[in-house]
Amino acid sequence: YKVTEIGSAAFKGNKKIKQITIGKNVKKVGSKAFMNCKKLKKMAIKTKNLKSIGKQAFKGVKFGSKGVDITVPKGKKKKYTKLIIKAR
């Protein structure tokens, strides 16, 4: 199956998840999808067609030098940074 969307609250409050890969077919991440995933350390975004990230999708997740290490496709860093910041 082609995964095109990560649903709202899909991994909300997951205490075990340490890394995620958002596949190349994903176009939308729902609201509160990864909310309070405190152990999350690595996130790889493979898609070049990510259109939106819902409100509070990454609320409670640490970013910055001691937080999540994020990799994105070439040329998408600026756009995806805005989307992620808006979704916190």
Side-chain angles (χ1 to χ4, degrees), residues 40-41 62-68:
L40 188 62
K41 294 293 176 201
K62 276 192 174 181
F63 287 93
S65 62
K66 294 184 179 182
V68 179

Side-chain angles (χ1 to χ4, degrees), residues 20 22 29 32-36 40 43 53-63 83-84 87-88:
I20 58 171
I22 298 175
V29 176
K32 300 180 184 178
F34 299 100
M35 183 180 200
N36 293 325
L40 188 62
M43 179 167 57
I53 299 176
K55 289 183 179 182
Q56 298 181 337
F58 296 105
K59 185 174 181 171
V61 177
K62 276 192 174 181
F63 287 93
L83 284 174
I84 292 169
R88 291 178 62 201

Side-chain angles (χ1 to χ4, degrees), residues 26-86:
V26 176
K27 294 179 181 172
K28 180 182 175 188
V29 176
S31 63
K32 300 180 184 178
F34 299 100
M35 183 180 200
N36 293 325
C37 292
K38 306 238 185 247
K39 291 190 177 183
L40 188 62
K41 294 293 176 201
K42 287 187 179 184
M43 179 167 57
I45 302 174
K46 302 283 185 180
T47 184
K48 293 182 180 180
N49 301 315
L50 189 61
K51 302 288 183 218
S52 68
I53 299 176
K55 289 183 179 182
Q56 298 181 337
F58 296 105
K59 185 174 181 171
V61 177
K62 276 192 174 181
F63 287 93
S65 62
K66 294 184 179 182
V68 179
D69 179 32
I70 304 170
T71 56
V72 298
K74 246 183 186 173
K76 296 292 181 179
K77 183 178 179 179
K78 191 173 182 180
K79 179 183 178 186
Y80 289 175
T81 300
K82 283 182 183 181
L83 284 174
I84 292 169
I85 289 171
K86 195 174 171 185

